[in-house]
Amino acid sequence: MSKQQEREKKRKRQQIIRTAILAVLAIAIVYTIVVNVTKDEDIVKVGDTAPDFELVDLEGNTHRLSDYRGEGVFLNFWGTWCGPCKKEMPHMEKYFNEFEDDGVNILAVNISESDLKVQSFANTYGLTFPIVIDKTNSVRDAYNVRPLPTTFLVGPDGKVKKIIETEMSEQEIKSYMESIMPS
Amino acid sequence: MSSIKCECGHLNPEGTDICQNCGRPLSTEEKSKKLADMRYDGAAIRSKTHKRTVVDKIWNFFSSVKIGVSIIIAILVASAIGTILPQVFYIPGGGANEAQTARYYEDNYGIFGQIYNALGLSDLYGSWWFMTLVGMLGISLVVVSLDRGIPLYKSLKNQRIDRHPSFLKRQRLYGEGQVDDPDAVMKKAAEKLKSQRYNIREKNGAMLAEKGRWARWGPYVNHLGLILFLFGVMLRALPGFYVDESMWIREGETLAVKGAPGLYLENKGFTFDVYTQENTDEVFSEAIDRVGSVASNYQTDVALYETPEGELPGSTNADLVKEYSIVVNKPLKHEGFHIFQMDFKLDELSAMTFALENKETGESLGELTVNLDDPQKEYDLGNGAKVELLDYYPDFSGFEDGEPQTATPVPNNPAFLFKMITPEAPDGETSFVAIRQTLEPLGENTYKLAFQKADTRDVSGLTIRKDKTIPVIVLGGVIFMIGVVQGSYFNHRRFWIRKSDDGKIQVAGHTSKNWVALQRELDAVTEYAGLPAYTDQRDKEEQTDKPEGDSNS
């Protein structure tokens, strides 16, 4: 009888070992698949702290993202040649003027174009919000920006609230800016 | 739990074919066979012992060799299908844009391409189901190895020396007969076997001679290598282990190295050399005659910079790490990153020179050179003449609502909106200058900007790689090969010799592979010790039998 009990005990131990081995393998595989399937998209995800950076604007002032902590930042990556950017910039300018005093800032990051080109664009559209130029693409890489325009809504807590990879309508721009207004 | 009790009194687990103690056949299937099934030495493979809970069912599923082989075939077929059309990472754009990808497959491969892409076959190796298949192969390898390896190990470790006569009778090589002096024969046989490097154990007038048992672990070593290999591949998914990026960098540009935060690369010059009839030996002359030119060198001279710890992206504060000339197969190496020369584009426009000329007299007031990377607002030519650059369109694509448009930021087709201020026209004349096209939007001008020359520069395509998984993958491969050699070139050979009181001697032999060598050894022992003659009991129709079960997968 005791032999029978011993066998039963051995069997139970074997069950536990099998379950553990299968569980470890399954977890490893599921993790690998999830990471692989989702990886190329988001270096920066909604809810992450927006990577800090430091860029110089057309007037020569240095802007550091973390200096805006406590206020909302409408972080827009753009290019002078990109059609949708041309359409949304005037709307951004309009609501920048409206919300600037409510703690919502715009930082427009141009992807490595020449000063002259960016300046003439700003003049053409009468843009007054700070425009910085990412000459080395390092900020673009840190945010893994692919299509232009791409906009990151950064809340007063420095966290990314939303990522928009398409052109925004005037109405959308307004509601996005309201959404990151410090309360 | 049920178990099988052998005549000898030993309790065997359910599923055992051959008594693990004495060697009598147990299962009806085994009893009906003329020869003993020596795969796993007749031990119950674990999955056969019980099948009750869900875990057991999953375990049994993966422990099946049939399932394992099916998974391998499925992976092979899927991999083959993935090679029919180029995968997304080989097409322009690299599959970043779904609509663009769909269009590419449709335009290039028609309906078939459309279906291929829609089914997700265009990114087959990155698909969840392909990775699931590979993962299942991993599980199968682990389970099969444990399920079969452990019982085999135990069975061989605890094997009894004095097996039952019926066990010996059912071995492939078997002989029996009367001898005059069984003790002397056994002694001489042991002597000869020892000289053949057999390990001899004796008990109760029975002898077990064994060598090369470790060859039986070959398949499990082999599986271990494969599992390590898969583990290495899996590591690539973890952040920091694997980087494979590419970037374009123009001569004179300084850009962040993609995939390597904090590293910057300056392109100090790209060189593209060819062999010509003048500078090369005879060897290439035929080829040069045939194809015109043969490349001899692709080289990017670079300076690598690194920002100090804590510096933010966008900061221009970086220290020079080293200068290096990247040549094909001679990558720049730094902190595990390898930067390779991969591609190039020659002669992209970098600067354009114009002369400010009077249209009537052709008299020039001077020249100006516009650096397309950094065009200036104003170019002063002296003597009251200057040119203002109002706007610049790097890739001029036509007018929209009277506004000049640029398609991309790359200077493929530069156009300029100039204002020319001359003594004759102090208020300025506006001129729109594009390649082979000059417009005077605000009326007839007295001056024009005549194109003089263009400067070009090359663009270098670099690939950035980091792979920390290489040591694991290499180790896996080495272990895999050790397992193959161990299982293929070494055999586990055993002889059982048993005497009975009436002066009869039984002799039986078994090997995992290479029966010819086993017979040769037995021949030598038989002759030396005077053992009874043996026969090969294998039926003629079984000649095509697979070799010993645990063959390499």
Coordinates of all heavy atoms in Angstrom, one line a residue, chain A residues 22-49:
Chain A
L22 N 5.4 23.4 -19.3 CA 4.5 23.8 -20.3 C 4.2 25.3 -20.1 O 4.2 26.1 -21.1 CB 3.2 23.0 -20.4 CG 3.4 21.6 -20.9 CD1 2.1 20.8 -20.9 CD2 3.9 21.6 -22.4
A23 N 4.0 25.7 -18.9 CA 3.6 27.1 -18.6 C 4.8 28.0 -19.0 O 4.6 29.1 -19.6 CB 3.2 27.3 -17.1
V24 N 6.0 27.7 -18.6 CA 7.1 28.5 -18.9 C 7.3 28.7 -20.4 O 7.5 29.8 -20.9 CB 8.4 27.9 -18.2 CG1 9.7 28.6 -18.8 CG2 8.4 28.1 -16.7
L25 N 7.2 27.5 -21.1 CA 7.4 27.6 -22.6 C 6.3 28.4 -23.2 O 6.5 29.3 -24.1 CB 7.3 26.2 -23.1 CG 8.5 25.3 -22.8 CD1 8.3 23.9 -23.3 CD2 9.8 25.9 -23.5
A26 N 5.0 28.2 -22.7 CA 3.9 29.0 -23.3 C 4.1 30.5 -23.1 O 3.9 31.3 -24.0 CB 2.6 28.5 -22.7
I27 N 4.5 30.8 -21.9 CA 4.7 32.3 -21.6 C 5.8 32.9 -22.5 O 5.6 33.9 -23.1 CB 5.0 32.5 -20.1 CG1 3.8 32.2 -19.2 CG2 5.5 33.9 -19.8 CD1 4.0 32.1 -17.8
A28 N 6.9 32.1 -22.6 CA 8.0 32.6 -23.4 C 7.5 32.8 -24.9 O 7.8 33.9 -25.5 CB 9.2 31.6 -23.4
I29 N 6.8 31.9 -25.4 CA 6.3 32.0 -26.8 C 5.3 33.1 -27.0 O 5.5 33.9 -27.9 CB 5.8 30.6 -27.2 CG1 6.9 29.6 -27.3 CG2 5.1 30.8 -28.6 CD1 6.4 28.2 -27.4
V30 N 4.4 33.2 -26.1 CA 3.4 34.3 -26.2 C 4.0 35.6 -26.1 O 3.8 36.5 -26.9 CB 2.2 34.1 -25.1 CG1 1.4 35.3 -25.1 CG2 1.4 32.9 -25.4
Y31 N 4.9 35.8 -25.1 CA 5.6 37.0 -25.0 C 6.4 37.4 -26.3 O 6.3 38.5 -26.8 CB 6.6 37.0 -23.8 CG 7.4 38.2 -23.6 CD1 6.9 39.3 -23.0 CD2 8.7 38.3 -24.1 CE1 7.6 40.5 -22.8 CE2 9.5 39.5 -24.0 CZ 8.9 40.5 -23.3 OH 9.7 41.7 -23.2
T32 N 7.1 36.4 -26.8 CA 7.9 36.7 -28.0 C 7.0 37.1 -29.2 O 7.3 38.1 -29.9 CB 8.6 35.4 -28.5 OG1 9.3 34.9 -27.4 CG2 9.6 35.7 -29.6
I33 N 5.9 36.4 -29.3 CA 5.0 36.8 -30.4 C 4.4 38.2 -30.2 O 4.4 39.0 -31.1 CB 3.8 35.7 -30.5 CG1 4.4 34.4 -31.0 CG2 2.8 36.2 -31.5 CD1 3.5 33.2 -30.9
V34 N 3.9 38.5 -29.0 CA 3.4 39.8 -28.7 C 4.4 40.9 -29.0 O 4.1 41.9 -29.7 CB 2.8 39.9 -27.3 CG1 2.5 41.3 -26.9 CG2 1.6 39.0 -27.1
V35 N 5.6 40.7 -28.5 CA 6.6 41.7 -28.7 C 6.9 41.9 -30.2 O 7.0 43.0 -30.7 CB 7.9 41.4 -28.0 CG1 9.0 42.3 -28.4 CG2 7.7 41.5 -26.5
N36 N 7.0 40.8 -31.0 CA 7.3 40.9 -32.4 C 6.2 41.5 -33.2 O 6.5 42.3 -34.1 CB 7.6 39.5 -32.9 CG 9.1 39.1 -32.9 OD1 9.9 39.9 -33.4 ND2 9.4 38.0 -32.2
V37 N 5.0 41.1 -32.9 CA 3.9 41.6 -33.7 C 3.7 43.1 -33.5 O 3.3 43.8 -34.4 CB 2.6 40.8 -33.4 CG1 1.4 41.4 -34.1 CG2 2.8 39.4 -34.0
T38 N 4.0 43.6 -32.3 CA 3.7 45.0 -32.0 C 4.9 45.9 -32.1 O 4.8 47.1 -32.0 CB 3.1 45.2 -30.6 OG1 4.0 44.6 -29.6 CG2 1.8 44.4 -30.4
K39 N 6.1 45.3 -32.3 CA 7.3 46.1 -32.1 C 7.5 47.3 -33.1 O 7.7 48.4 -32.6 CB 8.5 45.2 -32.1 CG 9.2 45.0 -33.4 CD 10.5 44.3 -33.2 CE 10.9 43.5 -34.4 NZ 11.9 42.6 -34.2
D40 N 7.3 47.1 -34.4 CA 7.8 48.1 -35.3 C 7.0 49.4 -35.1 O 7.4 50.5 -35.5 CB 7.7 47.7 -36.8 CG 6.6 46.7 -37.0 OD1 5.6 46.8 -36.3 OD2 6.6 45.9 -37.9
E41 N 5.8 49.3 -34.5 CA 5.0 50.5 -34.4 C 5.5 51.5 -33.3 O 6.0 52.6 -33.7 CB 3.6 50.1 -33.9 CG 2.9 49.2 -34.9 CD 2.6 49.8 -36.2 OE1 2.4 51.0 -36.2 OE2 2.7 49.1 -37.2
D42 N 5.5 51.1 -32.1 CA 5.5 52.1 -31.1 C 6.7 52.0 -30.2 O 6.8 51.2 -29.3 CB 4.3 52.0 -30.2 CG 3.2 51.1 -30.8 OD1 2.8 51.4 -31.9 OD2 2.9 50.1 -30.1
I43 N 7.7 52.9 -30.4 CA 8.8 53.1 -29.5 C 8.2 53.9 -28.3 O 8.4 53.6 -27.2 CB 10.0 53.8 -30.1 CG1 10.7 52.8 -31.0 CG2 10.9 54.4 -29.0 CD1 11.9 53.4 -31.7
V44 N 7.3 54.9 -28.7 CA 6.6 55.7 -27.7 C 5.2 55.3 -27.8 O 4.6 55.4 -28.8 CB 6.8 57.2 -28.0 CG1 6.1 58.0 -26.9 CG2 8.3 57.6 -28.0
K45 N 4.6 54.9 -26.7 CA 3.2 54.5 -26.6 C 2.4 55.5 -25.8 O 2.9 56.2 -25.0 CB 3.1 53.1 -26.1 CG 3.6 52.0 -27.0 CD 3.3 50.6 -26.5 CE 4.2 50.2 -25.4 NZ 5.6 49.9 -25.8
V46 N 1.1 55.5 -26.0 CA 0.2 56.3 -25.2 C 0.4 55.8 -23.8 O 0.4 54.6 -23.5 CB -1.3 56.1 -25.7 CG1 -2.2 56.8 -24.7 CG2 -1.4 56.7 -27.1
G47 N 0.5 56.8 -22.9 CA 0.7 56.5 -21.5 C 2.2 56.5 -21.0 O 2.5 56.7 -19.9
D48 N 3.1 56.4 -22.0 CA 4.5 56.6 -21.7 C 4.9 58.0 -21.4 O 4.2 58.9 -21.9 CB 5.4 56.1 -22.9 CG 5.3 54.6 -23.2 OD1 4.7 54.0 -22.3 OD2 5.9 54.2 -24.2
T49 N 5.9 58.2 -20.7 CA 6.5 59.5 -20.5 C 7.1 59.9 -21.9 O 7.9 59.1 -22.4 CB 7.5 59.6 -19.4 OG1 6.9 59.2 -18.2 CG2 8.1 61.0 -19.3

